[in-house]
Amino acid sequence: MKYAEPRPYADPEKAARRLLEHANAFEPIQYGRIYIEIINGKMLFGDKATAAEYWDGLQFAIARGWLEYHESGTFVKFTPAGADLFA
């Protein structure tokens, strides 16, 4: 009988911190923008997170004030609080 392994990003805080690591590794373009497809691609395809885990992590990071999500949905920016996590 096989048992399912716990999902590493089932906890939204762990998913949010991993998203921030991916965002920090990316060189921002104009005005500190980080393309959303860069971080979601690395999270979904590189880390094998589910879409729900990715979205929960992103919402957690936004709620904590670590990331700012643009209304167009095409990019995010670090807030000062989010940038301080890597200082």
Side-chain angles (χ1 to χ4, degrees), residues 2-15:
K2 279 188 167 179
Y3 293 99
E5 293 290 323
R7 300 281 310 166
Y9 302 112
D11 178 19
E13 184 172 1
K14 287 183 183 177

Side-chain angles (χ1 to χ4, degrees), residues 1 7 14-15 22 31 34 37 40 42 45 53 60 63-64 66 78-79:
M1 183 177 203
R7 300 281 310 166
K14 287 183 183 177
H22 288 310
Y31 308 116
I34 302 164
E37 66 262 15
N40 72 19
K42 289 184 179 192
F45 302 110
E53 291 168 343
F60 188 91
R64 283 285 171 103
W66 296 337
F78 272 110
T79 63

Side-chain angles (χ1 to χ4, degrees), residues 53-65:
E53 291 168 343
Y54 161 76
W55 186 250
D56 288 345
L58 183 62
Q59 294 303 312
F60 188 91
I62 293 167
R64 283 285 171 103

